[in-house]
Amino acid sequence: MKYDAVVIGAGFSGLYMLQRLREAGFSARVYEAGDGVGGVWYWNRYPGARCDSESIYYNYTFSEELLQEWTWSSRYPEQPEILRYLNFVADKFDLRRDIQFETRVTAAHYDEENQQWLIYLEDGSQVSATYFISGVGCLSAANIPKFKGLDQFEGKWYHTGHWPQHEKVDFTGKRVGVIGNGSSGVQSIPVIAQEAEHLTVFQRTPQYTIPARNHPYDPAFIKQTKENYQQIVEEMRNSWAGFPIKPSSRSAIEDSQEVRQQVYEEAWEKGGFFLTYTYNDLTMHEESNETVSEFIRSKIRETVNKPDVAEKLLPSYYFGTKRPILDTHYYETYNRENVTLIDVNKAPIVEITPKGLRTTDAEYELDILVFATGYDGMTGPLLKIDIRGKDGLTLKEKWAEGAHVQTYLGIANAGFPNFFMITGPESPSVLANMPLAIEQHVDWIGDCLEHLRDRGVPTIEATLEAETAWSKHCREVADATLYPKADSWYTGANISGKPRSFLIYLGGFGVYRHICDDVAAKGYEGFSLASSPKTVS
Ligand code: N01
């Protein structure tokens, strides 16, 4: 079977890409490993999973009708509601008929002679397509640390990103262990603590988290938002992170201690990510960062009753340089009698035993173990697929070749014609409002394919020069900030053996959008538009 385009994944990316391709008259097929749409919102069903972008902005904006028809219940809705939204979208645009579920793409090889991609599926079948588009997401390759003895564990264990789809995990009366306290751990720990007989949290690095202060939406607010959506969307598109929030023009150290305290207190009371917007240099300068980092540490000391537990929860990295986290009663959870916090930085995990988990200090008996240990971010999901470009070069080899992974605009790769990544490495997406960032990529790719078709151009490929320059620019922008200093999935430091590299464009979503538009306006500057595999214009 031959399609114009094959897309992997039926999450936010794959669904809109399919819709955009169809609207432009391309034939397309989406392959999805799960048995339903939703992507991360299909897989992440752990207790407490919810959105941490305000829902009124965390949706598609391409259809005014859709914006008007869908109404979010609250500021940060839970996973089932977001999954319902994506199902609603799939139904509204009749997307399912072009999606093949329970089908994993194992390989995609570029057939240079015929200028097409050969796509191999897990069931052994194969299809071909002119364009190969990845919508695999940035956080879909689970990181399950290789602890000795996991296969001997007599209890049940789960990773937050692969939570059982059709059965409820019952923690009642159980001794539960959670390893990890990133966004997934921080969301699930308070909920599991309410149900479990006892919860032991194994923490390696303390994290800063901010109260979400979720609340149902007032119907008057929803009405006003819907009436003004086009203006809001315009603001989102031109902003740093894809939200209609005006950035501060002040440095944190321009204000006196008293004024700063008041600014931080107000943002803390509002909840959500307002704290990150209080000053313009929090992730730029150590001195400014220390003011907000210390403010959150003071809140932890205030909230947690036992000083020794509070002490263990105090983070020391620069706030904001790991992905900021929103919580609902996270620090308060450590005041419960049935919750114990273990510092595995001091006493590392040695092994999983048949009865539980052993650190260098003690053994903890557990019935259920939850890995909230995150993901091999950005490159991980792509490298799980055997992707081969020209001359049989694999993506793995290409990205291992130089000192750094490099891409052009986070969308394309030299040596891989007609292959597009939605929210790939070196795009700003993971620091932006994800659905909006996805829409921007999908629209850009859709426009590009129409451009090629209208001009009879069979292939497009990023040039090595453009890719190298983009990658260098990304690193220069990042190096002017504090971000690369943190050990996180942003830098790849969370995966043992993964080369350290900061793979996010930090120039801002609005700026990036203009760069991409400019590239297109200049006839796809930095790309080779070829009339045959060997000809480069
Ligand atoms: O993963 P993480 P996550 N031994 O990498 C620990 C998005 N998201 O799934 O910090 C012991 O942040 C690790 O410790 P350390 C969001 O973008 C969004 O929580 O490396 N501990 C850390 O505590 C987020 O950033 C939402 O020292 C080990 C934790 O596991 C991203 O997904 C909700 C360990 C991993 O934290 C990933 O979040 C959830 C080991 N060997 C997620 N290995 C929304 O709200 C790892 N850890 C939309």
Side-chain angles (χ1 to χ4, degrees):
M1 191 69 194
K2 168 114 198 211
Y3 300 99
D4 290 327
V6 156
V7 181
I8 319 180
F12 265 105
S13 299
L15 291 180
Y16 181 43
M17 192 73 243
L18 175 58
Q19 169 64 7
R20 183 70 180 72
L21 287 164
R22 267 197 200 160
E23 271 184 343
F26 291 105
S27 65
R29 189 77 169 156
V30 176
Y31 294 102
E32 164 58 52
D35 68 4
V37 301
V40 290
W41 295 110
Y42 171 92
W43 297 105
N44 280 262
R45 297 176 191 227
Y46 60 84
R50 62 171 74 239
C51 188
D52 66 5
S53 296
E54 295 203 27
S55 58
I56 45 161
Y57 313 125
Y58 190 82
N59 44 217
Y60 293 117
T61 65
F62 70 87
S63 159
E64 175 66 27
E65 206 178 277
L66 178 61
L67 282 169
Q68 296 301 329
E69 281 176 8
W70 182 264
T71 301
W72 293 107
S73 66
S74 67
R75 189 181 185 189
Y76 300 113
E78 288 189 84
Q79 173 270 344
E81 186 171 337
I82 306 167
L83 191 58
R84 273 202 303 282
Y85 170 72
L86 288 165
N87 274 287
F88 178 81
V89 172
D91 290 338
K92 178 173 172 63
F93 297 99
D94 187 21
L95 297 176
R96 282 174 229 279
R97 68 186 152 87
D98 287 320
I99 305 173
Q100 189 169 317
F101 293 103
E102 297 183 85
T103 306
R104 198 172 281 281
V105 172
T106 55
H109 297 171
Y110 187 60
D111 166 7
E112 218 171 327
E113 198 178 324
N114 297 302
Q115 298 177 318
Q116 63 177 356
W117 280 89
L118 305 176
I119 319 287
Y120 299 89
L121 309 176
E122 204 170 29
D123 65 4
S125 58
Q126 182 217 305
V127 296
S128 60
T130 307
Y131 307 109
F132 170 47
I133 304 171
S134 157
V136 293
C138 305
L139 295 162
S140 53
N143 169 40
I144 302 172
K146 293 184 181 55
F147 293 122
K148 195 176 123 201
L150 182 57
D151 53 341
Q152 309 291 316
F153 183 52
E154 288 167 4
K156 292 200 165 162
W157 67 268
Y158 307 93
H159 184 279
T160 48
H162 289 282
W163 207 256
Q165 304 303 308
H166 305 296
E167 74 187 74
K168 171 170 166 30
V169 178
D170 188 1
F171 296 102
T172 319
K174 299 283 195 297
R175 296 161 303 174
V176 183
V178 175
I179 305 177
N181 51 302
S183 302
S184 307
V186 162
Q187 287 187 339
S188 58
I189 285 164
V191 182
I192 296 174
Q194 286 172 31
E195 215 178 284
E197 180 189 303
H198 194 90
L199 172 64
T200 309
V201 177
F202 299 95
Q203 170 195 274
R204 189 166 65 182
T205 310
Q207 296 257 25
Y208 301 96
T209 118
I210 306 168
R213 304 203 196 285
N214 185 41
H215 56 75
Y217 277 138
D218 176 352
F221 173 72
I222 291 286
K223 182 169 178 286
Q224 191 196 22
T225 303
K226 289 193 179 198
E227 282 169 5
N228 293 296
Y229 234 128
Q230 285 321 318
Q231 190 197 326
I232 293 171
V233 169
E234 211 36 49
E235 283 175 38
M236 284 158 64
R237 288 185 182 151
N238 289 300
S239 66
W240 193 85
F243 298 102
I245 301 173
K246 295 254 175 312
S248 166
S249 55
R250 292 181 70 72
S251 156
I253 47 177
E254 274 180 68
D255 278 345
S256 67
Q257 160 70 17
E258 291 70 35
V259 171
R260 214 168 35 227
Q261 184 71 14
Q262 198 186 335
V263 168
Y264 288 152
E265 288 287 358
E266 277 169 18
W268 187 261
E269 278 318 305
K270 276 193 204 169
F273 289 129
F274 283 101
L275 199 61
T276 63
Y277 284 90
T278 46
Y279 293 106
N280 67 3
D281 60 348
L282 296 179
T283 50
M284 304 297 287
H285 298 123
E286 296 171 11
E287 200 184 337
S288 295
N289 189 284
E290 179 54 21
T291 63
V292 69
S293 296
E294 184 48 29
F295 172 79
I296 304 176
R297 288 193 285 262
S298 74
K299 290 292 178 191
I300 300 172
R301 291 190 196 96
E302 249 173 62
T303 311
V304 179
N305 298 339
K306 294 180 196 139
D308 60 323
V309 178
E311 197 59 32
K312 278 193 230 170
L313 287 165
L314 299 181
S316 58
Y317 63 93
Y318 298 113
F319 167 70
T321 57
K322 279 175 177 259
R323 165 70 151 72
I325 304 175
L326 297 189
D327 74 271
T328 303
H329 308 312
Y330 177 69
Y331 295 124
E332 291 86 341
T333 297
Y334 293 96
N335 294 333
R336 295 177 65 103
E337 287 306 319
N338 71 334
V339 176
T340 310
L341 177 65
I342 302 299
D343 179 351
V344 296
N345 195 29
K346 259 201 183 133
I349 298 170
V350 176
E351 61 177 343
I352 309 297
T353 65
K355 297 282 175 225
L357 180 155
R358 197 160 66 77
T359 69
T360 51
D361 267 1
E363 180 168 357
Y364 302 88
E365 292 202 354
L366 302 169
D367 304 305
I368 299 178
L369 182 54
V370 175
F371 287 89
T373 43
Y375 301 88
D376 180 356
M378 292 177 283
T379 53
L382 288 157
L383 294 181
K384 273 170 54 180
I385 304 161
D386 172 20
I387 300 174
R388 296 178 191 215
K390 289 197 307 199
D391 302 320
L393 179 74
T394 67
L395 198 57
K396 201 176 208 156
E397 286 162 351
K398 176 188 159 75
W399 282 350
E401 251 174 17
H404 301 276
V405 164
Q406 59 177 45
T407 74
Y408 186 35
L409 302 171
I411 298 178
N413 283 282
F416 294 75
N418 291 1
F419 168 46
F420 299 91
M421 301 174 295
I422 304 171
T423 68
E426 295 186 332
S427 74
S429 316
V430 295
L431 280 178
N433 179 4
M434 197 43 111
L436 194 76
I438 285 168
E439 277 188 334
Q440 183 264 336
H441 267 191
V442 167
D443 285 334
W444 191 94
I445 294 166
D447 289 349
C448 174
L449 301 194
E450 288 187 67
H451 176 97
L452 300 179
R453 181 182 58 192
D454 293 351
R455 287 158 185 78
V457 176
T459 69
I460 184 167
E461 179 189 342
T463 66
L464 191 57
E465 297 71 41
E467 180 181 278
T468 306
W470 175 252
S471 199
K472 183 166 172 275
H473 175 56
C474 285
R475 286 197 302 282
E476 282 168 357
V477 176
D479 286 343
T481 73
L482 300 172
Y483 281 93
K485 295 184 191 291
D487 288 343
S488 69
W489 64 264
Y490 284 175
T491 52
N494 64 327
I495 300 297
S496 90
K498 185 167 177 171
R500 193 182 181 104
S501 184
F502 193 83
L503 297 177
I504 308 166
Y505 177 60
L506 286 179
F509 173 71
V511 170
Y512 172 80
R513 216 182 108 239
H514 289 297
I515 294 172
C516 290
D517 288 350
D518 198 43
V519 163
K522 290 180 177 154
Y524 294 90
E525 190 178 49
F527 287 91
S528 293
L529 275 60
S531 55
S532 86
K534 305 287 177 214
T535 319
V536 173
S537 69

